[in-house]
Amino acid sequence: MSTRPGPTSRRVATTGDVEVSTYLEIAEEKLGQTTVPGETPKGGDEAIVVLDFGSQFSRLIARRVREAHVYCEIFPHNAPREALERLNVRGFILSGGPASVFEDGAPQLPAYVLDSGLPVLGICYGMQLLAHSLGGAVEPGLLREYGHAVVHQNATGHALFEGMDSSMPVWMSHGDKVTVMPPGFSCLGYTENSPVAMMGNDAGVIGLQFHPEVVHTPSGAQLIQNFLYDVCGCGGLWTPGNFIDESVARIRDQVGDGRVICALSGGVDSAITAALINRAIGDQLTCIFVDNGLLRREEAERVVGTFKRAMSINLIHVDAADQFLDALDGVVDPEQKRKQIGETFIRVFEDVAEEIEDVSFLAQGTLYPDVIESTSHETGAAAKIKTHHNVGGLPAAMRLSLVEPLRYLFKDEVRDVGLALGLPEEIVLRQPFPGPGLAIRIIGEVTREKLEVLRSCDWIVMDEIKGANLYRQLWQSFAVLTDTRSVGVMGDHRTYGYLAAIRAVTSEDAMTADWARLPYEVLAKISSRIVNEVPEVNRVVYDITSKPPGTIEWE
Ligand code: XMP
């Protein structure tokens, strides 16, 4: 097995909604007017199907498989066989789930799983379902077993255990358990409370009572990788390079001679979407970058510099600052700000897009988490497309087909692809920035003056955070300009200036976040630079609120 890639290090999950749409509602409304092309990702020449039985960890299972360089997709447990036909399936993983096999209406194992003769890994409920379906016995647990346990191997030398210690800490979360194994199965591992914590047969059908996908099972990633390579015979072909080659071919296939437009925000997802499509069809792509006047210092220049000059992408740079600031005139309410910005974006985008002839495709940076969220797990219905956050709504008058090359990728895979495409780290590894930009970091009315003040504060925060090598450890770090003024003294003079707040958070997915314990010296430096270099600000505070109950942005 020396040729296979080593286990990839566990990375911090970055799959969440990073740039949640301001314009989501408007854009979803418009989506009814678009057509969604049939997509047929090949996923290298091998794929694993994760059948979701309702576990909160299904997505984690998929991530672990992808981290082992094997393509996989999550399907609802009742997905019809035809839904999997476009994939070259090498094995199945059955997730856990909240049900008990004894309940009426408990999710069943689709017949095609065992009929296929392919290896199957059943996790928790998935294991109980295997036992139940194959003639073993499952008993309701009187007590839930929840938390840490230690599994001892019962079958050293099994392919599943390559490179692993004979005992391993695992994480359990189950009520029912397997008490009699189905015919042909042997016990591969046990814990103090579960005599059959792992079972398997010669056909590569394996059950695990514990959760190998969570970080609390430290050798879980290795176990999953062993299943993929040594039981399913996968080769680990899912790499950014292969993805790019496949994706380029697919985009060419879909688009033919057609023209594609793409709204570029400067954020990670739209940037990488544009770079990938540019690699595939070059001049047939036109990107539209709407400068809403709410961007950070030098941001517009950087986007134009990277995409137009360095990558020679057709880029229309629209300076629409006046339109946005007019729309925000006198607006104080945060939701009203979002609405005004969203509507203005659509108007501006539409005007520009209408000038481009023969457009039939709209590129969007939709990611896999969006697709999973919008797939109905109840019915197994085809995915309803949810608009991507970066695109501020779709042109109302146009009927466009969507090109969504990142639709099967997690956020960290997108970043890997961006790096493999040669995009600068500065773009690929940047912190999220909200669509409404600085408008939701200025409390109260947005004016040109306040925007300039905030840009100066923000610049100092970034400079110091990067200087202290903290940028990549933080989910976001930025300044907020409040509408509070306070009295201060500088030299012998009384001052009456703005209160600026610093916000720096750690997070895995923006759904929850904690305030970052920034070193005092860094905070001190930021504070002293702001009050010295930004004359309108005379006081700086640090926001020590987690999310919940706070949000990351102040508005
Ligand atoms: P909150 O402030 O809700 O933010 O904790 C969670 C994440 O979403 C970003 N955010 C937005 N992104 N439009 C966007 O594109 C918005 O209206 C918006 N509001 C918040 C925020 O920066 C954080 O990463």
Side-chain angles (χ1 to χ4, degrees):
M1 293 267 73
S2 56
T3 54
R4 73 193 193 186
T8 49
S9 58
R10 291 232 162 118
R11 283 171 291 191
V12 174
T14 50
T15 60
D17 281 356
V18 177
E19 287 141 356
V20 180
S21 179
T22 339
Y23 322 117
L24 207 59
E25 283 173 23
I26 306 165
E28 279 190 335
E29 208 174 286
K30 310 284 182 210
L31 265 173
Q33 300 165 4
T34 65
T35 55
V36 180
E39 346 97 34
T40 51
K42 289 196 297 159
D45 284 322
E46 56 188 24
I48 293 291
V49 166
V50 177
L51 286 181
D52 180 11
F53 288 88
S55 167
Q56 49 178 324
F57 302 130
S58 297
R59 213 186 275 197
L60 266 185
I61 300 173
R63 290 175 58 81
R64 297 293 166 254
V65 175
R66 299 273 191 97
E67 283 166 13
H69 304 288
V70 176
Y71 184 74
C72 75
E73 280 185 37
I74 304 174
F75 290 85
H77 62 82
N78 53 358
R81 183 200 297 260
E82 304 77 65
L84 322 180
E85 264 165 14
R86 63 190 162 82
L87 300 173
N88 185 9
V89 182
R90 304 294 292 266
F92 290 91
I93 300 182
L94 317 177
S95 82
S100 161
V101 289
F102 303 108
E103 284 167 17
D104 281 346
Q108 300 297 306
L109 189 61
Y112 58 75
V113 172
L114 293 171
D115 289 352
S116 71
L118 292 168
V120 183
L121 181 68
I123 296 173
C124 201
Y125 180 77
M127 174 194 196
Q128 292 149 17
L129 202 53
L130 285 173
H132 190 66
S133 316
L134 289 166
V138 178
E139 280 187 7
L142 295 177
L143 289 176
R144 266 187 86 74
E145 190 181 7
Y146 184 86
H148 296 281
V150 175
V151 165
H152 306 282
Q153 289 175 19
N154 214 15
T156 42
H158 192 284
L160 205 55
F161 296 133
E162 193 185 286
M164 294 175 59
D165 294 336
S166 60
S167 296
M168 59 177 161
V170 299
W171 196 77
M172 295 279 192
S173 170
H174 66 105
D176 301 348
K177 60 184 172 198
V178 175
T179 48
V180 180
M181 284 177 288
F185 277 74
S186 55
C187 174
L188 305 180
Y190 59 92
T191 71
E192 204 176 322
N193 292 319
S194 298
V196 187
M198 304 174 78
M199 64 175 195
N201 70 6
D202 289 344
V205 179
I206 293 167
L208 305 179
Q209 183 64 79
F210 56 90
H211 290 271
E213 69 275 25
V214 302
V215 278
H216 310 295
T217 301
S219 6
Q222 178 76 53
L223 197 73
I224 290 175
Q225 181 168 289
N226 288 348
F227 173 73
L228 301 171
Y229 292 150
D230 299 329
V231 181
C232 300
C234 292
L237 306 173
W238 175 249
T239 59
N242 286 346
F243 169 82
I244 292 170
D245 292 345
E246 271 186 23
S247 193
V248 161
R250 217 164 36 235
I251 293 165
R252 287 184 183 149
D253 210 35
Q254 184 191 352
V255 169
D257 297 334
R259 293 205 65 83
V260 182
I261 51 169
C262 177
L264 202 61
S265 68
V268 177
D269 305 341
S270 65
I272 295 171
T273 301
L276 195 53
I277 296 179
N278 179 57
R279 163 97 43 120
I281 56 164
D283 272 358
Q284 288 163 255
L285 170 72
T286 304
C287 290
I288 301 174
F289 169 56
V290 177
D291 182 348
N292 57 14
L294 306 167
L295 302 174
R296 290 164 293 189
R297 187 178 291 170
E298 292 184 8
E299 189 143 26
E301 293 85 332
R302 196 173 49 223
V303 171
V304 175
T306 304
F307 291 91
K308 192 166 188 161
R309 287 196 281 280
M311 299 181 68
S312 305
I313 289 182
N314 282 330
L315 177 76
I316 302 180
H317 174 194
V318 194
D319 181 357
D322 288 343
Q323 275 150 283
F324 281 88
L325 287 174
D326 285 351
L328 287 171
D329 192 25
V331 180
V332 171
D333 176 64
E335 283 318 297
Q336 191 59 26
K337 284 183 187 175
R338 285 187 163 82
K339 190 159 173 280
Q340 295 294 102
I341 294 168
E343 286 173 4
T344 309
F345 180 91
I346 289 178
R347 266 202 310 283
V348 173
F349 187 80
E350 216 168 12
D351 284 352
V352 180
E354 269 165 15
E355 299 290 304
I356 309 169
E357 283 174 17
D358 299 331
V359 176
S360 36
F361 298 92
L362 176 84
Q364 292 202 131
T366 312
L367 303 195
Y368 197 38
D370 305 329
V371 175
I372 299 171
E373 262 154 39
S374 50
T375 303
S376 163
H377 284 222
E378 290 301 314
T379 61
K384 161 181 165 274
I385 311 300
K386 184 171 127 184
T387 287
H388 185 254
H389 332 301
N390 285 349
V391 177
L394 308 179
M398 287 189 275
R399 291 184 65 83
L400 298 171
S401 296
L402 297 178
V403 185
E404 297 180 300
L406 308 181
R407 162 173 182 79
Y408 288 95
L409 297 194
F410 289 110
K411 188 82 178 183
D412 50 356
E413 293 173 323
V414 168
R415 293 188 201 273
D416 290 344
V417 167
L419 293 173
L421 281 168
L423 280 171
E425 289 195 356
E426 180 187 282
I427 293 238
V428 174
L429 302 178
R430 68 195 314 216
Q431 294 175 356
F433 184 65
L438 300 180
I440 56 167
R441 294 179 181 171
I442 291 176
I443 311 304
E445 193 183 350
V446 179
T447 62
R448 284 181 193 278
E449 184 226 353
K450 285 187 190 170
L451 279 164
E452 264 320 304
V453 172
L454 182 54
R455 279 190 191 110
S456 303
C457 297
D458 186 75
W459 184 264
I460 292 168
V461 174
M462 263 321 103
D463 201 33
E464 292 302 326
I465 293 284
K466 286 184 176 165
N469 259 333
L470 293 168
Y471 183 80
R472 297 221 186 129
Q473 295 169 36
L474 299 172
W475 176 264
Q476 274 173 289
S477 44
F478 55 88
V480 175
L481 187 64
T482 75
D483 56 355
T484 297
R485 289 183 181 219
S486 70
V487 174
V489 55
M490 266 192 125
D492 291 330
H493 297 286
R494 173 188 189 271
T495 59
Y496 188 57
Y498 283 116
L499 172 71
I502 310 306
R503 184 75 163 140
V505 296
T506 52
S507 175
E508 293 205 344
D509 53 13
M511 305 304 283
T512 59
D514 196 7
W515 60 277
R517 274 46 171 184
L518 291 183
Y520 282 161
E521 312 79 66
V522 174
L523 287 169
K525 190 94 181 286
I526 291 174
S527 164
S528 112
R529 276 193 62 190
I530 289 180
V531 292
N532 281 296
E533 295 173 31
V534 188
E536 296 84 353
V537 176
N538 69 349
R539 193 178 293 268
V540 178
V541 295
Y542 186 48
D543 181 350
I544 53 168
T545 322
S546 61
K547 172 184 178 177
T551 52
I552 296 176
E553 304 291 346
W554 274 33
E555 287 198 337

